[in-house]
Amino acid sequence: MAEADEQPPPSTPSTASSTAPIYIHPRREPFQHGLLPISKLIFTDGTQTLLPIRDKLLSLTSGSAYRANFEAIAEALQISHEHARLVLETIASVLHSDSDPIVTAKPSEIGSVGVNVFDLVLFLHIQSYKRLLPKGHKDSAAVADVWPSTSAFDGFLSALSPLQLVRSNSRRFMPSQADEEAHQLSYLQKHLGNILSLLAESVEGDGEESLVLSMEKLEHLGFLIYFGEKGYERIPLSQNAPFFANSDPEMPAVPVPAAQVHDWLLENIASALERITERASAKENGPSTASDQDVPMADVAASSVKSSSTSRGPSFIEGISKSSYVRLPNDIKGSSVKVVNCHESVIYILAPLKYATVYGCSDATIVLGAVGKAVRIEHCERVHVIAAAKRICIANCRECIFFLGVNQTPLLVGDNHKLQVAPYNTFYSLLEEHLNQVGIDPTINRWDAPVALGVVDPHDSLSHPAGVSDVQTESAIPVDLDQFTSFLIPHWFEGQQSGSTKDNPFPLPDAYLASQQRNHKNLEENKSMLKDTELDETRKREVATALHACFKDWLYASGNIRQLYCLQGD
């Protein structure tokens, strides 16, 4: 979100009279990284419950900042302090203002700094959002915005593995970025009246005329929506609203009727939805390219284009198979990355990011450099993820290992099985610079404190059968000390880049450090023993042959043989 003192680009009003109109868009981050499957946070009765909760939270805050700390949130929502802290950490990762105190706070300070009550109630409202179903779902029209949703379809899919679950719906039916944006806009369109009532103030009058909205409260809607277009900065809502656009900065703007704001936003949402429909129709009747904003995840052929990006959307790395693949800062446009449908590969993303998503991958190693907001790993099997991040959410994964440098508690949701966690185990020369750039503190690592929530993710229509909402998902276990090894990133992958990082900046726990030192000592002793053993030339050749054979077997068994193929290709 652009800061409040930024000015809109010239000659780009959100009206049809401009040659380059700008449109309203949903902020994807709250819908993709800001949903928590905690039943007490999900309110399906509009504002009937949320309005009293808002008033309760306001009564528990002091001063004009209206900031609720974790104790106030726990009391108002009747949840545990642990869940209240999780709410604050999640909001901090998806908030629209990077200058908000909760975003700039140190990890240990988030609970006491708290969140603005009006941002909190918007966060609570969207907990009723249900993610978009694949296009092929026979009941998609009926269940897209129904709460909760269960069907025999869900029960059938629950017996499948994460990848079978994804593949059973066929990649070509997965939602495109345009589909998801339209779904989010439709949700906001349907619930806009309730959302505005949470921000509005009551004045003397009858009915809708008694609710007014100030310019300050309108800006909180920036948590969910913004104006902007390719090549332009995001514009604060109040600067684009006709009733606030020409306000005197020296004088407080006069509040306007909430109904007037409601009509204006509905008009803009309708225009945006119409534009998405027109663009989709144009694509159906003409060629599309991987650089299009709305490229479906399935439509980027691995043999032709393996990466695509846009100024507003994420960079996609898709369809990589049986190869090594490297992305550096100059290769990535924007601040987020999605790694989708990659198999039997090693993928290096050695760049500072805000968000990263890994979806539908198997038998791969994925290195994420520094992710300052949130990482989400979903529907993956037998994947090793090495990530330095502020926070991470793992959903519906099986037999995966996560080597983590994370400032906040890892969150496990959905139907996970046989997961392992370990401390961060690699570095590259610019890692510390990237960590500092995105605000990750390497002295804090919560890798060993994962929190597992219920097996059913109520925001996901794809995952699970009915009747298991009280079943807890499996947690993750620490990697065995003897199985922990450092991961080496080849220095030539960094090209001309050079930095000061010479070692892993995340300190290893004593037990893992001792195990690593012991393994290194054993290796040196074995090398010395072989070197000092007196053998004739025939026996030396036999030993060398045996060692090479064992090494080759390990290369194939571990999948590292593909990195040798990559080197040959270079």
Side-chain angles (χ1 to χ4, degrees), residues 439-457:
I440 297 172
D441 184 351
T443 66
I444 301 173
N445 194 354
R446 304 292 304 281
W447 69 273
D448 58 345
V451 172
L453 298 179
V455 77
V456 168
D457 183 352

Side-chain angles (χ1 to χ4, degrees), residues 23-54:
Y23 290 87
I24 202 166
H25 301 279
R27 285 188 69 243
R28 294 169 178 167
E29 295 85 1
F31 296 103
Q32 293 177 353
H33 297 276
L35 303 179
L36 289 173
I38 299 174
S39 59
K40 287 189 176 182
L41 302 183
I42 298 168
F43 303 96
T44 60
D45 54 2
T47 56
Q48 186 174 344
T49 304
L50 276 175
L51 280 172
I53 287 176
R54 180 201 66 181

Side-chain angles (χ1 to χ4, degrees), residues 371-407:
V371 186
K373 296 288 189 180
V375 175
R376 184 175 178 89
I377 315 292
E378 189 169 11
H379 290 301
C380 291
E381 289 184 357
R382 299 176 303 281
V383 168
H384 290 192
V385 176
I386 304 172
K390 186 70 66 70
R391 72 192 313 264
I392 187 169
C393 178
I394 301 161
N396 309 314
C397 291
R398 182 171 295 182
E399 299 178 44
C400 296
I401 304 178
F402 302 91
F403 298 88
L404 303 177
V406 287
N407 289 170

Side-chain angles (χ1 to χ4, degrees), residues 122 195-196 199 217-225 237 265:
L122 293 183
I195 291 171
L196 290 178
L199 302 176
K217 297 292 173 48
L218 178 68
E219 287 293 2
H220 287 286
L221 274 179
F223 182 65
L224 299 176
I225 53 179
L237 293 181
L265 286 173

Side-chain angles (χ1 to χ4, degrees), residues 537-558:
E537 290 302 317
T538 301
R539 297 293 290 175
K540 285 182 179 179
R541 285 194 297 269
E542 289 175 353
V543 171
T545 300
L547 289 174
H548 290 161
C550 290
F551 180 57
K552 185 177 180 181
D553 289 343
W554 174 81
L555 284 173
Y556 279 103
S558 64

Side-chain angles (χ1 to χ4, degrees), residues 184-310:
Q184 291 159 10
L185 281 174
S186 296
Y187 172 88
L188 294 173
Q189 184 182 49
K190 177 178 179 180
H191 299 285
L192 188 59
N194 286 335
I195 291 171
L196 290 178
S197 69
L198 292 171
L199 302 176
E201 302 172 62
S202 295
V203 295
E204 290 186 8
D206 297 323
E208 293 182 351
E209 296 301 320
S210 66
L211 291 178
V212 297
L213 204 67
S214 66
M215 185 169 71
E216 178 188 6
K217 297 292 173 48
L218 178 68
E219 287 293 2
H220 287 286
L221 274 179
F223 182 65
L224 299 176
I225 53 179
Y226 69 93
F227 280 96
E229 204 46 60
K230 281 187 177 182
Y232 297 104
E233 294 291 335
R234 296 184 178 187
I235 303 172
L237 293 181
S238 61
Q239 291 187 20
N240 212 61
F243 26 82
F244 291 132
N246 298 316
S247 298
D248 184 348
E250 301 298 326
M251 296 288 291
V254 177
V256 299
Q260 184 179 349
V261 179
H262 184 262
D263 292 343
W264 172 69
L265 286 173
L266 283 182
E267 180 182 346
N268 277 277
I269 290 174
S271 296
L273 287 169
E274 182 179 353
R275 183 200 187 208
I276 292 172
T277 302
E278 289 174 352
R279 293 184 64 180
S281 176
K283 280 202 176 99
E284 289 177 1
N285 298 322
S288 63
T289 66
S291 62
D292 283 337
Q293 167 207 337
D294 304 318
V295 62
M297 292 181 183
D299 290 346
V300 183
S303 60
S304 57
V305 180
K306 291 198 172 71
S307 180
S308 61
S309 65
T310 69

Side-chain angles (χ1 to χ4, degrees), residues 319-324 342-346 363 562 565-566:
I320 308 298
S321 179
K322 297 183 179 180
S323 62
S324 293
C342 295
H343 310 285
E344 300 183 63
S345 297
V346 181
D363 301 290
R562 68 179 65 90
Y565 293 148
C566 175

